[in-house]
Structures are given as C-alpha cells and as structure tokens.
C-alpha cells in the first residue's frame, strides 16, 4: 500500500527520492517523508509532510546527500499526520537509526512493550517505529546495521519491506523484504531501491527482484545480498520491459482516463498468443497446464474487489460454455472460513497487482486444505502471486496507475474467456467450428472495444445528471450482473456517490423501496436471452418515478422516453458482451468524478495494491 524508495547516488539522491515517490504516490498518498545521511557531520536530516509528495518537495528542495530513503504512506496504524509519517527514527547512544516501511508488523504491540521496558520512547502511533528502536537496540549492543536488520527481520512478524540508514554508517543502506515486494535498480556506480519498478525506470532498466526474506546491503562499493539463512547470495538482474512512457500521463488528464482508452491495446497484447494461434491450447496457461487442466473436476476462484467481479463473470462462462462447476469467493472471506475442498479442484486467483495480501493468503490457505492445482491470472510478472502458483497467465495490460482498476479488469476477462475455451475444448464441449468462430470474435475484440469508446461524448452528458445525486442503483442480469457490480464499485470509489448493484430480478424483493426521482438507476441491457425479463424489471423502476439510464445494445428494441435515457452501443457481442458493456460504466464513473471534482486517480482513503489485510 505504501511506497518506499532509497538510493546511494553518485551525486545527490534527493531528486530521485522525490521523483520515485511521485511515481509511487498511487500506492499511498496521505503523507510522505524522506531522510538523508550526511557523512561529514554524521547527521540524519529528515523532512516529512502530510498530504502529497509535492508538499514534501517544497520542504526538501534544498537538501542534498548521496544516501537517502523515502516513503509515501497509506495509514494503517495511526492517523495521517506528520508525526506518523515515515521515516521513523530511534536516537540515543550517539547515533540515529531511520526506517521506512511498507506492510504491517503484526507483533508490534508486544515489541513496543518490550522496547518501552528497555527505555525507548515512542513518538508515533505506527507499527513501524518498533523497527527503528529494535534495530537501534541491536546496534547499541555492538551489531552492525546489516547484522541488526538481519536479526530484527527474524523477530518481526507480518509482511513487510523495509529500508534503513544510520547516522554512524552514513555510506550504508540496508533493506529487507518478507512478503512485500522490493527491487534494486543497478545504475552506473549508483544503486536504487523501490517497492515498485515504476519508481526505478527513469534511472535504470537493470533491476534485481529480491527473493523472500532477502536482506541487502548497499554501499558505494556495491550491492550484497543475504538469503533467509544470512548466507551471501547471488540474485540475477533482469532488464525491465517497462517503458518510461508506460508510466507517463501523455496527452491524458488522468491515469484512469489513459487506462480506459488503452484497453483496446491492452486486450490485444493479452490475447496476442491466442489471436496468433489457429486453435486454443492449454499451454497458454504454462508448461504444466497440458498435464493439469485435463484432471480438473471443479473450479474455485478467489479474488478481491474488481478482480472478484472478473471472477464472477467467469463463473457464468465456465459453467455455461465449459460445463464445469465453478464457485467464486471473496479472498478475505475464504481465508478465514472452514471450507471443504474436493479433490480435483483448480484454485484460480486473480489479481492485478499480484501482491494483494488477502488473495495471497487465500491461495496459501487453499494449499493447506490439500489443493494441488493452482492458477494465477495476474498483471505483474514478478509478483508474489505468480510465484506462488503452479499455472499462470499474465495479462499484459501494462502498469495500471489509477487506483480504480479498468484495463486490468478487461484483460482479466480476456484471460478468463481464453481459459473457458481451453476447458470447454478439453471437456469436448467446443466443436472445431465453434472454436474457430469464437477465436475470430476474440480477434475482433480490440476493435470492438475502440468502437464502444466512441460513446464517451454521450456518457459525458449523462454524467452531468449524476453530479448532485447521493445514491444510485446499478442493475444487470446473468453474466452482466457482475458488470453492474463493477459499474457500481467504480462510481462509488471515485465519485463517492453511494452505488448499489442488484441482479435486476431482486429489485422487487427489497431495493425497489429506495427508488424515487433522486435515485438514478443504471441498467446494463445487452440484447441477450434475458432482455425481456430485464425490460419488465425496468418498467418496475419507471412506474415508481425512477430515472433510468440504460446502456443497451444497438439491436435492442428500446427507446428513450421521459425518465428513460437509452444509449445504444454496438450490436450484441454474444459471450464477449460483458467486456464491452463495462466500458461505458467506467466512462460514466470517470466523468461523474470529473464533474464532482474529486481526485480521480487517488480517491480518498484508498490505495493501489492492498498489501495489508
Ligand atoms: C477497484 C480496485 C480494487 C482491486 C482490489 C484487488 O477499482 O482496483 O477493488 O481490484 O483491491 O486488487 P488486485 O487485483 O491487485 O488483487
């Protein structure tokens, strides 16, 4: 959730620290801070501010040093305030230890009591401060900064990435990771660390992805890596494929807008292997898939938020096309539930970031129940989720910076549809003719996405009508019900308008009581077998004075009327329809947020990559 960066630069590291934080700001943005070490005076200088990195930049503009660490925060322990902003310090015995931290220290209460008993005084409400004092105590006992961090890492429970500097070793930066990502960027005689590759890309493309429980020591002479046993280890560097452009805004006003409009290209990239093939094959899901997928008896999909909505769409596809029993569960519920796992279950985890704590824990929980077959669908190749699964499918959406997920969702759907075809074929439910037809439809999908995006001007007009509303309903049926859920999530998270999604048939079982002229009702209305049922549900809304906003297929026989606004999209796209129908809903939430003037890319209280429970 938070972002960390650090550097030993050839000259001044502060511009990199600030630029890195700006690039990581989407991971957390309630406060920010940095600390640098001065070798001449053996002093640590620190700047912290509440709010955005731009505020910190003002404060830290005059600071200069070769060595430093920095942090952008998303509050977990303690309110957003300067005293809770990182870096946190521990001072005494003539030296100062400073730390930045991403993640959660689960045993911080117990450690805090222990450290207080040794005379340490706490100045913040954070779990992070225990790390500074713990390392300080080890150093006071005669250990080096590296040895102290190695010892402390073993004592700290939870998932974290940390970076530390100390005033008495002003040429050394020590960092460690356990359950949270951390990378080293290798420059020309300079080294950088970050929790996310996007912060490093302007400095270097050569990066080392640290392994679980690694501790590293950076000095002007180079990088040393130590594994979980404290042994010196070698880690291969990779040349990142990320381009500086992919994390720039370009001509767009917001990342969310850019990412909505990138969907055609993102889907094309994700489906490249599928589109170029003359037939569907299990190998699209990894080398072992040809052996594993034929043995699968049923599927359980685990995910959170938008990724959970992708899973919910896939359930309809997998059951109706592949005829395989599929259940979908919110990862944070599954991980704490006593559940039964039948032999032959394929557990699929879906995640944009591949670092979502609940999804990772749910996957591990399923393994403890005896699950052998696991598949992850993820957008980040080096993520923990990808490493934890037997089979994998990488969506190739490119970095998603806007907190509200858009292109990650549609590429997840493209991946899940591909899986549906693979499973259908393995189960002899996909005759060659039908396979060829569906492959052709998939190849045309990016063009259809571009076409749907042309509805933006009309959506923009509709958005005006939502700006003064406080509540809204989203309706859908069948495979489009999860699309209504996704539309409601998008609207609430970036415009702060309360939005509820219902399967349209449920309306009369309760929510209809809410409908009045102040409650806009958005309907997803594809021209599928349920359209007549949906129309009856919409009549129920009109009859109660509700104002309807209907996203219909072009071939739907629905017309605008007083209180009923109908927007015609494309002709019905069959099985791929949900992928197209979510796009106007993304645009609607984006434009409503613009009208309301909310912070589209960094909505309040949220953060990208939910690496804490
Ligand atoms: C909503 C959104 C979140 C994420 C959720 C899971 O727009 O982005 O609901 O979908 O936090 O994140 P990932 O997919 O990274 O596991």
């Amino acid at each position: 959730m938070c972002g960390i960066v650090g550097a030993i630069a050839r000259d001044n590291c502060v511009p990199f620290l600030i630029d890195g934080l700006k690039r990581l700001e989407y991971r957390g943005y309630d406060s920010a801070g940095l600390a640098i070490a001065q070798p001449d005076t053996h002093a640590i200088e620190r700047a912290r501010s509440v709010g955005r990195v731009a505020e910190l930049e003002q404060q830290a503009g005059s600071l200069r040093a070769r060595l430093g660490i920095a942090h952008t925060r998303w509050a977990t322990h303690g309110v957003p305030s300067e005293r809770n902003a990182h870096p946190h310090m521990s001072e005494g015995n003539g030296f100062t230890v400073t730390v930045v931290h991403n993640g959660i220290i689960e045993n911080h209460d117990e450690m805090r009591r222990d450290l207080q008993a040794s005379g340490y005084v706490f100045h913040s409400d954070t779990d992070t401060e225990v790390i500074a004092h713990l390392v300080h105590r080890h150093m006071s006992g005669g250990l080096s900064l590296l040895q102290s961090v190695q010892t402390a890492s073993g004592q700290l429970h939870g998932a974290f990435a940390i970076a530390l500097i100390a005033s008495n070793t002003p040429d050394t930066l020590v960092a460690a990771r356990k359950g949270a990502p951390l990378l080293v960027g290798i420059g020309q005689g300079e080294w950088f660390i970050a929790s996310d590759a996007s912060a490093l890309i302007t400095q270097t493309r050569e990066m080392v992805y640290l392994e679980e429980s690694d501790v590293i020591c950076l000095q002007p002479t180079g990088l040393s890596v130590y594994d979980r046993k404290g042994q010196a280890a070698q880690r291969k560097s990779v040349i990142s494929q990320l381009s500086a452009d992919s994390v720039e805004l370009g001509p767009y006003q917001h990342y969310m807008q850019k990412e909505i409009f990138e969907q055609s290209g993102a889907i094309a990239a994700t489906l490249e292997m599928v589109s170029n093939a003359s037939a569907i094959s299990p190998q699209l899901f990894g080398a072992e898939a040809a052996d594993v997928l034929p043995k699968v008896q049923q599927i359980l999909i685990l995910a959170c938020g938008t990724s959970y909505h992708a899973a919910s769409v896939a359930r309809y596809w997998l059951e109706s096309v592949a005829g395989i029993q599929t259940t979908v569960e919110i990862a944070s519920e599954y991980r704490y539930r006593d559940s039964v796992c039948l032999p032959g279950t394929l557990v699929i985890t879906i995640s944009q970031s591949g670092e979502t704590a609940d999804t990772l824990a749910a996957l591990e929980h399923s393994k403890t129940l005896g699950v052998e077959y696991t598949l992850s669908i993820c957008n980040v190749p080096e993520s923990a989720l990808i490493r934890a699964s037997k089979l994998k499918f990488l969506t190739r959406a490119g970095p998603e910076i806007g907190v509200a997920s858009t292109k990650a969702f549609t590429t997840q759907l493209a991946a899940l549809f591909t899986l549906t075809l693979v499973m259908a074929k393995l189960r002899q439910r996909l005759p060659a003719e039908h396979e060829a037809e569906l492959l052709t439809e998939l190849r045309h999908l990016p063009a259809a996405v571009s076409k749907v995006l042309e509805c933006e001007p009309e959506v923009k007009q509709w958005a005006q009508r939502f700006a003064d509303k406080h509540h809204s309903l989203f309706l859908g049926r069948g495979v489009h019900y999860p699309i209504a859920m996704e539309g409601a999530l998008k609207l609430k998270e970036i415009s702060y308008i309360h939005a509820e999604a219902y399967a349209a048939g449920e309306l009369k079982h309760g929510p209809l009581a809410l409908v009045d002229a102040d409650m806009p009702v958005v309907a997803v209305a594809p021209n599928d077998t349920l359209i007549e049922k949906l129309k009856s549900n919409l009549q129920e809304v009109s009859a109660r004075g509700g104002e309807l906003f209907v996203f219909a297929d072009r071939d739907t026989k629905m017309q605008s009327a007083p209180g009923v606004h109908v927007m015609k999209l494309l002709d019905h796209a069959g099985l791929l329809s949900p992928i197209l129908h979510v796009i106007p809903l993304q645009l609607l939430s984006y434009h409503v947020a613009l009208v309301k003037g909310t912070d589209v890319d960094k909505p309040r209280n949220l953060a990208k990559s939910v690496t804490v429970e």
Side-chain angles (χ1 to χ4, degrees):
M1 321 263 310
C2 308
I4 61 179
V5 286
I8 294 193
R10 274 197 313 267
D11 183 22
N12 180 15
C13 69
V14 174
F16 162 72
L17 297 180
I18 296 287
D19 179 69
L21 287 188
K22 284 186 178 164
R23 289 170 190 279
L24 293 185
E25 212 175 11
Y26 71 102
R27 296 181 69 112
Y29 37 83
D30 59 48
S31 51
L34 62 81
I36 52 172
Q38 296 297 0
D40 303 336
T41 54
H42 280 233
I44 299 279
E45 291 171 24
R46 175 171 70 168
R48 297 186 294 175
S49 70
V50 178
R52 298 297 160 83
V53 175
E55 316 268 328
L56 179 71
E57 189 174 16
Q58 301 270 319
Q59 269 192 47
S62 59
L63 295 181
R64 284 185 70 83
R66 289 187 61 194
L67 179 77
I69 52 178
H71 185 267
T72 177
R73 179 168 188 250
W74 186 84
T76 55
H77 295 69
V79 296
S81 65
E82 193 176 319
R83 65 189 281 276
N84 286 333
H86 301 211
H88 290 286
M89 284 184 165
S90 180
E91 293 174 276
N93 302 336
F95 68 98
T96 304
V97 170
T98 312
V99 63
V100 291
H101 161 223
N102 176 18
I104 284 194
I105 306 300
E106 285 168 359
N107 56 340
H108 71 99
D109 266 343
E110 176 194 326
M111 305 234 79
R112 181 182 272 252
R113 281 195 296 275
D114 175 39
L115 287 157
Q116 278 168 332
S118 316
Y120 283 98
V121 177
F122 282 74
H123 300 285
S124 76
D125 309 315
T126 66
D127 52 339
T128 304
E129 200 180 341
V130 299
I131 308 170
H133 295 312
L134 186 61
V135 169
H136 186 278
R137 187 162 72 180
H138 288 314
M139 287 184 78
S140 299
L143 298 185
S144 67
L145 178 60
L146 171 65
Q147 290 166 329
S148 301
V149 174
Q150 284 174 313
T151 311
S153 293
Q155 296 170 292
L156 300 169
H157 301 167
F160 55 83
I162 52 177
L164 297 96
I165 56 176
S167 60
N168 54 352
T169 55
D171 62 348
T172 305
L173 187 160
V174 174
R177 63 151 293 191
K178 204 165 157 187
L182 191 64
L183 295 85
V184 181
I186 316 259
Q188 301 287 326
E190 50 188 358
W191 289 268
F192 309 92
I193 58 152
S195 46
D196 185 322
S198 60
L200 300 176
I201 198 69
T202 52
Q203 304 298 320
T204 177
R205 302 182 72 83
E206 189 180 355
M207 299 179 193
V208 176
Y209 283 84
L210 297 177
E211 291 183 14
E212 186 60 8
S213 299
D214 277 352
V215 179
I216 59 156
C217 182
L218 286 177
Q219 287 178 313
T221 44
L223 161 71
S224 319
V225 182
Y226 301 89
D227 65 15
R228 63 176 72 230
K229 293 189 186 136
Q231 307 290 325
Q234 296 296 322
R235 301 282 176 247
K236 281 204 185 106
S237 65
V238 293
I239 302 301
S240 173
Q241 296 307 308
L242 201 64
S243 73
D245 284 358
S246 63
V247 290
E248 300 293 348
L249 254 185
Y252 295 96
Q253 211 183 333
H254 295 101
Y255 281 105
M256 183 183 181
Q257 181 192 27
K258 176 180 186 239
E259 287 154 10
I260 290 174
F261 280 88
E262 279 175 347
Q263 289 181 104
S264 168
I267 292 173
T270 300
L271 291 176
E272 196 184 345
M273 304 275 282
V274 186
S275 305
N276 292 341
S278 54
I280 275 291
S281 84
Q283 277 82 353
L284 291 162
F285 292 86
E288 291 177 74
D291 176 44
V292 169
L293 294 181
K295 297 181 193 153
V296 171
Q297 304 293 320
Q298 59 277 320
I299 293 176
L300 166 64
I301 318 184
L302 303 168
C304 305
T306 287
S307 298
Y308 169 77
H309 296 154
S312 306
V313 170
R315 179 168 73 94
Y316 287 87
W317 284 338
L318 284 160
E319 295 215 330
S320 69
V321 182
I324 185 156
Q325 196 222 326
T326 303
T327 38
V328 175
E329 190 160 345
I330 292 169
S332 57
E333 286 296 310
Y334 174 77
R335 64 182 287 195
Y336 293 117
R337 191 168 71 81
D338 291 328
S339 55
V340 177
C341 205
L342 299 173
T345 300
L346 172 69
V347 167
I348 303 177
T349 42
I350 308 175
S351 172
Q352 186 284 126
S353 60
E355 302 293 344
T356 301
D358 284 322
T359 309
L360 283 165
L363 173 59
E364 291 313 316
H365 177 66
S366 77
K367 291 181 191 169
T368 66
L369 299 180
V371 165
E372 276 182 78
Y373 310 142
T374 53
L375 160 66
S376 287
I377 295 176
C378 183
N379 196 37
V380 180
E382 301 80 9
S383 60
L385 195 67
I386 283 290
R387 287 196 299 270
S389 285
K390 204 176 225 163
L391 310 182
K392 46 212 83 178
F393 188 104
L394 278 174
T395 50
R396 290 165 64 194
E400 193 180 63
I401 310 277
V403 164
S405 187
T406 51
K407 61 177 180 172
F409 179 69
T410 45
T411 52
Q412 286 167 354
L413 289 180
L416 288 159
F417 189 76
T418 306
L419 178 71
T420 303
L421 298 189
V422 169
M423 294 308 295
K425 193 167 171 181
L426 288 171
R427 297 165 72 84
Q428 274 84 45
R429 289 176 62 112
L430 190 66
E433 216 173 277
H434 196 200
E435 178 181 356
E437 264 168 37
L438 290 172
L439 274 176
T440 307
E441 284 175 29
L442 266 183
R443 287 187 196 108
H444 289 163
L445 183 61
V449 168
S450 300
K451 202 86 197 114
V452 176
L453 284 164
E454 290 173 12
C455 70
E456 190 188 24
E458 215 176 330
V459 173
K460 217 165 155 174
Q461 285 180 4
W462 282 15
Q464 303 287 339
R465 307 179 74 98
F466 283 72
D468 62 342
K469 300 289 189 270
H470 299 289
H471 306 278
S472 60
L473 278 179
F474 281 67
L475 303 178
R477 290 198 77 129
V479 69
H480 293 85
Y481 166 44
I483 295 299
M485 290 161 74
E486 176 59 9
L489 177 64
K490 289 288 90 95
L491 189 70
K492 73 183 104 172
E493 72 183 317
I494 63 165
S495 75
Y496 317 147
I497 294 176
H498 172 220
E500 288 289 337
Y502 278 94
E506 274 291 289
L507 205 55
K508 54 189 168 299
H509 299 291
L512 200 54
L514 294 169
V515 170
D516 64 13
D518 281 330
M519 169 76 98
V521 179
V522 177
V524 185
N527 194 14
D528 61 10
T529 51
L530 293 168
I531 187 67
E532 293 309 323
K533 305 268 175 227
L534 180 77
K535 281 185 192 167
S536 310
N537 303 139
L538 300 188
Q539 289 295 339
E540 294 160 11
V541 172
S542 289
R544 272 91 192 162
E547 189 171 16
L548 278 165
F549 294 85
V550 185
F551 292 100
D553 283 341
R554 191 165 45 197
D555 43 11
T556 311
K557 290 190 184 56
M558 290 179 87
Q559 296 303 334
S560 293
V564 184
H565 312 275
V566 178
M567 190 181 302
K568 299 276 179 100
L569 303 169
L570 307 182
D571 285 348
H572 183 52
L575 287 166
L576 295 175
S577 171
I579 303 181
L580 299 175
H581 265 278
V582 77
I583 290 167
L585 302 183
Q586 297 169 341
L587 286 169
L588 180 68
S589 61
Y590 174 69
H591 284 288
V592 174
L594 278 195
V595 179
K596 291 197 68 182
T598 55
D599 191 340
V600 172
D601 285 333
K602 300 186 185 80
R604 70 183 180 205
N605 307 339
L606 300 180
K608 199 85 180 161
S609 285
V610 187
T611 51
V612 296
E613 254 193 75

